[in-house]
């Protein structure tokens, strides 16, 4: 579903991605982790073309993201993305947030979009909040709305960039529950996260990045039980016993 | 001069009303036109197409570095050359103010657009919205709300500045007061009247801005 081959990216003279290669098969969950500044956000944003890359190729469902001829908005409409800071549209209520792209991009009618939106709000447990504005919701609720907004586009895969790291600890669970459920239903997911419990439960593989490099790309069990590199070992011991 | 005689206010009212209507029309047209053109200018200034950004920037800088009264006079003299026929002082004033105010509204909208966090644009793009759609549905509505108090404050300044059309003889409220003042030989009384009207309108507008600000503020 997602194929990343030998991707490199420079900001001026600093290299932020170094020959990164990995893949996410259909129905698979892959967790990406690594220290701050290692290039995780950059990599995941390259997947839907929010960031350009300098070298290499990325394909999503066979479509090349870096190809100038690719209709990026059309591709992005099929790839859901969830951000660290939710990025709900603050001037629209929850249901309008869910409906906007359905109507403007997919060409659904307002009624269709609202029906689909309400069904997804139900699913993330927020049906009663449809008329509220994002600012009236807790962080955990906002992030669940953001997930519902991405799902409303019926995406073929989902990208998550640290979806729980801006949340108060007591709200992390409610967001992870939605993500676990999604994974169990067979959604293809690439998740940047440091929630290792989540990784253990649903991830097929874990990708470990450092300094723009993919240092390790291993099945989840192997990654946790016997990380191959010293860097991954050090990272794991830091985040598991903080 | 002798005593003040405010009885001139009564017979002056029909003239003052006509002048005031023009002043208000000028303000409203220059405000709406200025905000629309100003927003387009702001988008041009922020555009990655360098020549377009430069051109818009040059226009804005030019307008902002010439005294308004000169722009008013200059447009009044130049527009007939462009259109090929003379235009009235009123039409000239409307064109001039729209063009001039657009430069100021442009800078307000530009900072408004820049005040919207980068992540919002990413989120809009990630949903498949194109550049124009993201601007129209996500960025501009937030920019407008963030900037509403500043936009309206600029409009109050604009309302006061319309009195400068006096320079080309357009029949605004100040001109009406002036004419009546001369005819009845009561210039001071008429100036006091127009000052009071300007004050009353500007004061109520700034109160209205405060109210509106509460109503449209984005809930965060
Ligand atoms: N616009 C930019 N210009 C220059 N350097 C940048 C820019 N954006 C990111 N970088 C650099 O790229 C590197 C990778 O950044 P990235 O945000 O992908 O890291 P990350 O792994 O997501 O980190 P974090 O865990 O803090 O989110 C960092 O060193 C960062 O300083
Ligand atoms: Mg990041």
């Amino acid at each position: 579903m997602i194929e990343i081959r030998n991707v490199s990216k420079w900001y001026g003279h600093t290299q932020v991605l170094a020959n990164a290669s990995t893949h996410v098969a259909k129905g698979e969950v892959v967790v990406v982790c690594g220290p701050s500044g290692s290039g995780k956000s950059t990599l995941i944003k390259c997947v839907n073309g929010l960031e350009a890359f300098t070298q290499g190729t990325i394909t999503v469902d066979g479509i090349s993201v870096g190809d100038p001829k690719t209709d990026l908005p059309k591709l992005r409409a099929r790839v859901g993305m969830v951000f660290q800071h939710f990025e709900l549209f603050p001037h629209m209520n929850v249901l309008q947030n869910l409906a906007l792209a359905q109507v403007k991009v997919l060409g659904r009618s307002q009624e269709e979009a609202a029906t689909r939106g309400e069904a997804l709000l139900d699913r993330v447990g927020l049906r009663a909040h449809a008329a509220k504005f994002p600012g009236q919701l807790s962080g955990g609720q906002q992030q669940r709305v953001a997930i519902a907004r991405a799902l409303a586009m019926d995406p073929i895969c989902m990208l998550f960039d640290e979806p729980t790291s801006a949340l108060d600890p007591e709200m992390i669970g409610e967001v992870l529950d939605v993500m676990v459920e999604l994974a169990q239903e067979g959604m293809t997911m690439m998740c940047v996260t440091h929630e290792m419990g989540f990784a253990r439960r649903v991830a097929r593989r874990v990708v470990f990045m450092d300094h723009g490099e993919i240092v390790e790309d291993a099945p989840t069990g192997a990654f946790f039980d016997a990380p191959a590199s010293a860097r991954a070992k050090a990272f794991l011991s830091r985040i598991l016993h903080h | 001069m002798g005593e003040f005689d405010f009885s001139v206010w009564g017979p002056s009212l029909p003239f003052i009303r006509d002048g005031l209507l023009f002043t208000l029309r000028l303000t409203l047209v220059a405000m709406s036109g200025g905000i629309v053109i100003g927003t387009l200018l702001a988008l041009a200034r922020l555009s990655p197409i360098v020549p377009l950004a430069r051109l818009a920037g040059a226009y804005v800088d030019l307008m902002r570095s010439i005294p308004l009264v000169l722009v008013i006079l200059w447009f009044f003299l130049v527009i007939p050359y462009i259109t090929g026929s003379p235009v009235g002082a009123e039409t000239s004033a409307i064109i001039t103010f729209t063009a001039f105010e657009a430069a100021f509204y442009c800078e307000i909208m530009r900072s408004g657009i820049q005040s919207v966090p980068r992540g919002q644009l990413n989120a809009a793009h990630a949903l498949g919205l194109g550049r124009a759609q993201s601007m129209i549905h996500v960025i501009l509505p937030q920019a407008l709300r963030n900037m509403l108090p500043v936009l309206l404050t600029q409009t109050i300044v604009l309302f006061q500045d319309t009195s400068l059309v006096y320079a080309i003889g357009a029949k605004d409220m100040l001109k009406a007061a002036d004419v009546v003042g001369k005819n009845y030989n009561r210039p001071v009384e008429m100036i006091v009247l127009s000052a009071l009207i300007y004050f009353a309108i500007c004061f109520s507008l700034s109160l209205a801005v405060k109210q509106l600000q509460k109503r449209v503020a984005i809930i965060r």
Side-chain angles (χ1 to χ4, degrees), chain B residues 1-135:
Chain B
M1 290 281 303
E3 307 265 285
F4 290 129
D5 178 7
F6 292 103
S7 67
V8 63
W9 286 7
S12 77
L13 283 182
F15 302 99
I16 292 287
R17 187 202 54 209
D18 289 350
L20 182 60
L21 282 180
F22 173 71
T23 297
L24 290 176
R25 189 157 67 92
L26 177 56
T27 306
L28 283 179
V29 173
M31 176 187 75
S32 16
I35 290 179
V36 171
I37 298 173
T39 303
L40 294 174
L41 279 171
L43 293 174
R45 282 203 86 166
L46 294 169
S47 136
I49 306 162
V50 178
L52 187 64
R54 289 258 171 83
L55 199 66
Y59 175 82
V60 169
D61 290 342
L62 180 71
M63 283 299 171
R64 301 212 310 164
S65 34
I66 303 177
L68 175 55
V69 70
L70 285 185
V71 181
I72 293 171
L73 284 171
W74 189 71
F75 266 64
F76 188 52
L77 298 174
V78 164
I79 291 174
Y81 282 102
I82 301 173
T83 59
S85 60
V87 294
E90 286 75 21
T91 310
S92 176
I94 286 176
I95 297 173
T96 308
F97 269 87
T98 307
F100 186 81
E101 291 299 322
F104 288 83
Y105 288 120
C106 163
E107 290 308 272
I108 296 172
M109 285 311 292
R110 187 162 71 117
S111 52
I113 291 167
Q114 287 171 327
S115 74
V116 180
R118 170 94 199 155
Q120 289 283 303
L121 195 60
N122 274 339
H125 285 163
L127 285 164
L129 294 164
R131 284 156 62 96
Q133 286 177 320
S134 305
M135 233 349 129

Side-chain angles (χ1 to χ4, degrees), chain A residues 57-209:
Chain A
T57 55
I58 297 179
T59 60
V60 176
D61 196 30
I63 297 160
S64 171
V65 180
D67 186 337
K69 290 196 289 287
T70 298
D71 183 350
L72 272 184
K74 196 171 161 197
L75 178 66
R76 289 179 186 136
R78 304 169 63 211
V79 178
M81 185 158 201
V82 175
F83 299 86
Q84 182 173 2
H85 297 288
F86 330 131
E87 305 300 351
L88 295 177
F89 305 135
H91 58 298
M92 297 178 178
N93 72 25
V94 165
L95 198 59
Q96 290 165 336
N97 262 276
L98 267 66
L100 178 69
Q102 293 188 67
V103 173
K104 300 295 171 192
V105 179
L106 302 181
R108 291 182 185 157
S109 70
Q110 285 289 352
E111 297 77 58
E112 277 178 288
T115 309
R116 181 88 182 104
E118 278 166 357
L120 283 160
L121 285 178
D122 236 347
R123 172 181 177 159
V124 299
L126 293 171
R127 177 70 180 265
H129 300 272
K132 289 193 181 162
F133 283 84
Q136 297 170 308
L137 302 178
S138 73
Q141 292 172 327
Q142 290 189 55
Q143 194 62 298
R144 284 185 282 152
V145 171
I147 295 174
R149 180 176 70 177
L151 291 175
M153 302 296 285
D154 298 321
I156 54 172
C157 60
M158 291 279 290
L159 308 173
F160 293 83
D161 188 4
E162 304 210 38
T164 57
S165 60
L167 296 178
D168 293 337
E170 71 271 18
M171 293 173 187
I172 293 177
E174 65 193 59
V175 172
L176 288 180
D177 287 347
V178 173
M179 291 172 62
V180 167
E181 204 179 295
L182 206 53
Q184 285 166 348
E185 285 167 16
M187 176 60 81
T188 308
M189 293 161 62
M190 183 166 173
C191 311
V192 175
T193 181
H194 290 158
E195 291 299 329
M196 291 305 151
F198 169 81
R200 270 188 195 279
R201 265 182 86 183
V202 297
R204 178 77 50 87
R205 295 193 337 278
V206 177
V207 169
F208 172 71
M209 295 185 72

